[in-house]
């Protein structure tokens, strides 16, 4: 029999040597000591690697040949109800989160996981650039402002004529299944180099829930072949303010501009940017800034899609505000509604002439708008007595006194020749005819 065998089966009549008794019966037992000092005294000069002891204050320990080591299974870093046993480079404690939070993987956290508020609905409308009621390619003149893709508002500077357009992403490898993106392009030959910005301003009712919280903005972006900003930089921006229902690019009361810089390539990448929103904030707007250099080439643009803002410090998988395109359109129509038809003779509503030059025509809005529409745009519209005659108009305006978020009265002005109290409707003069109503911020 081997004296230092880790295990030995004894037979009846075996004679045990002193070495066997010492090693197999003594050294391999779990020895109990009242304290570390008592153990040191008792085992002085006879310590052997592999000895195991128990001390009430220390728990179970083993001797590794040079020191006593706590057996981890007998120790725990947990101190509070709900704590989780996790690991970084050593066993570690993850303190319980607050009520309602969920556990998410977070490579930036010490233990690789963290507590976060549950995934909420993405408040960024038209975040995958599916809805373009104003047209899928919009020219923006230098030194001007305006809405482009639904809910996205831009501002240009001198010598910075731009084109904002819808493009197919054409990539399911580097981003999820997102069909469209927005291309923000400085037109070829333009020389203005001030910052070009596009933003989506939230209503205060949608911004206030973010006050005092850590939020993360995530998005996918790539650059055109002639993207001119230094180091191919794009600036993700989060504006906050303390006013009510203002437009960030027109100026927030108490504005705070938070931004960072990311480096674009011609391949789609996902980027994130996190801030803590001021507790006093009542307005918030995600935005993107481009600082061009030199003279614009043919492809001086960036593309962006999959824009998401959420509470927390970890970006969750992208999802749009609504699960359907109809939901996205309805959400956008709260702010802007365009009536159009492919037909050259489409009719809009029915009204009556209250003079020989004026007609009041009432339209029912497909959704309740944010407020009574304040501005109107239209093209290729005339008055008609269906099947009888058509009349050109010289003006079309909203009658604020008889309009509301659910309906609008349009006052059409025409040349003389109308008959008072006769019914008239508005009609397209071409397939490109439309009437647009805006309740934007």
């Amino acid at each position: 029999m081997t004296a230092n065998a880790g295990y030995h089966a004894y037979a009846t009549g075996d004679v045990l040597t002193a070495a066997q008794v010492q090693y197999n019966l003594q050294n391999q037992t779990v020895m109990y000591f009242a304290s570390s000092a008592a153990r040191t005294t008792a085992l002085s000069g006879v310590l052997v690697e592999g000895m195991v002891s128990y001390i009430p204050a220390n728990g179970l320990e083993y001797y590794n040949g040079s020191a006593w080591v706590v057996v981890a299974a007998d120790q725990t870093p947990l101190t509070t109800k709900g704590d989780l046993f996790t690991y970084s480079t050593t066993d570690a404690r993850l303190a319980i989160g607050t009520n309602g939070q969920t556990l998410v993987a977070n490579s930036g956290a010490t233990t690789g996981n963290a507590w976060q508020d549950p995934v909420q609905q993405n408040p960024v409308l038209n975040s995958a650039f599916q809805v373009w009621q104003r047209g899928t390619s919009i020219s923006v003149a230098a030194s001007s402002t305006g809405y482009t893709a639904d809910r996205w508002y831009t501002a240009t500077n001198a010598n910075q004529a731009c084109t904002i357009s819808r493009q197919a992403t054409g990539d399911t490898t580097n981003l999820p299944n997102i069909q469209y993106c927005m291309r923000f392009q400085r037109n070829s030959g333009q020389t203005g180099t001030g910052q070009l910005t596009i933003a989506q301003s939230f209503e205060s009712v949608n911004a206030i829930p973010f006050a005092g919280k850590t939020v993360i903005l995530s998005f996918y972006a790539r650059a055109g072949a002639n993207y001119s900003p230094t180091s191919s930089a794009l600036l993700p921006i989060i504006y906050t303010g303390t006013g009510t229902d203002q437009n960030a690019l027109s100026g927030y009361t108490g504005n705070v501009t938070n931004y960072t810089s990311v480096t674009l390539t011609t391949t789609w990448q996902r980027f994130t940017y996190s801030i803590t929103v001021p507790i006093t904030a009542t307005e918030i707007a995600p935005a993107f800034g481009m600082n061009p250099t030199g003279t614009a080439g043919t492809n001086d643009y960036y593309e962006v899609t999959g824009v998401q803002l959420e509470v927390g410090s970890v970006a969750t998988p992208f999802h749009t505000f609504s699960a359907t395109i109809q939901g996205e359109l309805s959400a956008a129509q709260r702010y802007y509604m365009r009536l159009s038809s492919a037909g050259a003779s489409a009719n809009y509503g029915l009204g009556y002439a209250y003079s020989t030059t004026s007609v009041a025509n009432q339209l029912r809005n497909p959704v309740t708008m944010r407020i009574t529409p304040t501005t109107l745009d239209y093209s290729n519209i005339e008055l008609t007595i269906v099947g009888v005659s058509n009349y050109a108009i010289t003006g079309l305006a909203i009658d604020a006194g008889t309009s509301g978020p659910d309906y609008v009265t349009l006052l059409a002005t025409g040349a003389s020749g109308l008959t008072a109290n006769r019914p008239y409707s508005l009609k397209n003069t071409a397939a490109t005819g439309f009437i647009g109503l805006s309740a934007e911020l």
Side-chain angles (χ1 to χ4, degrees), residues 56-143:
N58 299 0
L60 197 64
E61 296 176 285
Y62 69 92
Y63 189 69
N64 67 4
S66 60
W68 288 96
V69 179
V70 173
V71 178
D74 191 48
Q75 300 295 307
T76 174
L78 308 185
T79 62
T80 307
K81 173 184 175 183
D83 285 353
L84 295 181
F85 200 156
T86 183
Y87 183 82
S88 54
T89 55
T90 59
D91 293 335
R93 165 184 176 258
L94 179 64
I96 183 65
T98 59
N99 289 346
Q101 287 188 314
T102 57
L103 189 64
V104 296
N106 182 350
S107 60
T110 301
T111 60
N113 44 41
W115 294 103
Q116 181 165 295
D117 290 335
V119 175
Q120 59 186 15
Q121 193 171 40
N122 182 9
V124 181
L125 302 185
N126 201 23
S127 56
F129 298 96
Q130 299 163 301
V131 183
W132 295 71
Q133 292 188 84
R134 296 173 176 88
T136 55
S137 183
I138 299 171
S139 297
V140 183
S143 302

Side-chain angles (χ1 to χ4, degrees), residues 367-434:
V367 303
T368 299
M369 302 189 78
R370 182 180 71 90
I371 57 174
T372 299
T374 56
T375 59
L376 167 76
D377 61 328
Y378 66 95
S379 178
N380 295 319
I381 297 294
E382 66 183 0
L383 287 166
T384 184
I385 301 175
V386 179
V388 179
S389 54
N390 302 320
Y391 302 86
I393 63 172
T394 57
L396 191 63
I398 297 170
D399 182 15
T402 60
S403 298
D406 295 305
Y407 57 87
V408 63
T409 300
L410 299 181
L411 302 180
T413 303
S416 61
L418 302 177
T419 302
N421 300 316
R422 174 171 280 188
Y424 294 87
S425 66
L426 295 167
K427 182 180 80 69
N428 281 356
T429 62
T432 54
F434 70 85

Side-chain angles (χ1 to χ4, degrees), residues 131-308:
V131 183
W132 295 71
Q133 292 188 84
R134 296 173 176 88
T136 55
S137 183
I138 299 171
S139 297
V140 183
S143 302
S144 66
T145 60
Y147 280 93
T148 57
D150 277 61
R151 296 297 299 123
W152 292 94
Y153 184 85
T154 191
T156 62
N157 303 297
N159 301 310
Q160 284 189 328
C162 293
T163 301
I164 315 299
S165 63
R166 186 184 74 182
Q167 302 291 327
T169 60
D171 189 337
T172 57
T173 300
N174 300 295
L175 45 65
N177 289 317
I178 303 176
Q179 185 176 11
Y180 296 118
C181 64
M182 176 195 68
R183 176 177 291 181
F184 193 116
Q185 180 164 0
R186 187 172 64 137
N187 293 347
S188 179
Q190 293 293 288
T191 57
T193 56
Q195 181 169 301
L196 291 164
T197 308
I198 191 162
Q200 181 172 141
S201 302
F202 293 2
E203 287 183 69
S204 291
V205 68
N206 295 325
I208 289 172
F210 293 100
K213 297 180 180 178
T214 297
V215 300
I216 188 164
L217 174 68
S218 57
F219 60 95
Y220 294 88
R222 67 180 176 184
N226 304 134
Y227 187 59
S228 66
T230 302
S231 302
S232 295
L234 177 69
L235 307 181
I237 304 167
I238 302 176
Y239 295 106
T240 65
T242 55
T244 301
D245 292 350
Q246 296 173 317
N247 184 308
L249 297 190
S250 298
Y252 273 165
T253 299
N255 179 70
V256 177
T257 302
N258 309 275
Y259 70 94
T260 189
S261 177
V262 299
T263 301
L264 302 188
T265 68
T266 54
T267 300
W268 287 108
Q269 302 175 77
R270 194 183 198 196
F271 301 95
T272 61
Y273 174 49
S274 183
I275 70 164
T276 298
V277 178
I279 191 65
T280 57
T282 54
E283 299 177 301
I284 192 167
F288 299 97
M290 166 188 178
N291 291 318
T293 61
T295 301
T298 305
N299 297 297
D300 189 5
Y301 68 79
Y302 69 87
E303 294 176 340
V304 66
T305 192
V307 185
Q308 183 162 280

